[in-house]
């Protein structure tokens, strides 16, 4: 009976290890540059000036393209716009 339990435990342990190894090998292939499925990189440019939070949000929302506000510290923000 002990031998049967030992063999069952070894078999289960081996099954878990083999299953884990198979899962680890199933990683997706990395994207290559220039393919249609690779994400586009946006070139961002800092808009001149320092703004309060409300000013930055207002400018960001009124910009025609993609834009975001980045904290500079001391209550000041920089506006980054898509170029």
């Amino acid at each position: 009976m002990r031998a049967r339990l030992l063999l069952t435990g070894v078999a289960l342990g081996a099954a878990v290890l083999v299953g884990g190894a198979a899962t680890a090998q199933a990683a997706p292939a990395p994207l290559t540059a220039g393919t249609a499925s690779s994400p586009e990189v946006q070139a961002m440019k800092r808009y001149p000036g320092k703004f309060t939070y409300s000013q930055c949000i207002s400018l960001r929302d009124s910009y025609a393209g993609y834009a975001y506000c980045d904290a500079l510290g001391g209550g000041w923000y920089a506006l980054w716009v898509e170029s």
Side-chain angles (χ1 to χ4, degrees):
M1 187 66 178
R2 275 184 147 172
R4 184 184 295 175
L5 287 175
L6 179 64
L7 289 175
T8 304
V10 169
L12 285 174
V16 168
L17 288 176
V18 170
T23 303
Q25 293 175 356
L31 293 175
T32 57
T35 62
S37 61
S38 63
E40 293 293 323
V41 177
Q42 295 177 343
M44 301 300 289
K45 182 173 68 172
R46 184 173 169 187
Y47 191 81
K50 293 190 306 186
F51 309 98
T52 65
Y53 181 74
S54 60
Q55 290 171 331
C56 190
I57 295 299
S58 177
L59 287 169
R60 180 199 70 185
D61 292 344
S62 66
Y63 187 70
Y66 176 73
Y68 70 93
C69 295
D70 188 26
L72 296 173
W76 294 105
Y77 290 81
L79 178 65
W80 290 85
V81 295
E82 183 179 25
S83 57

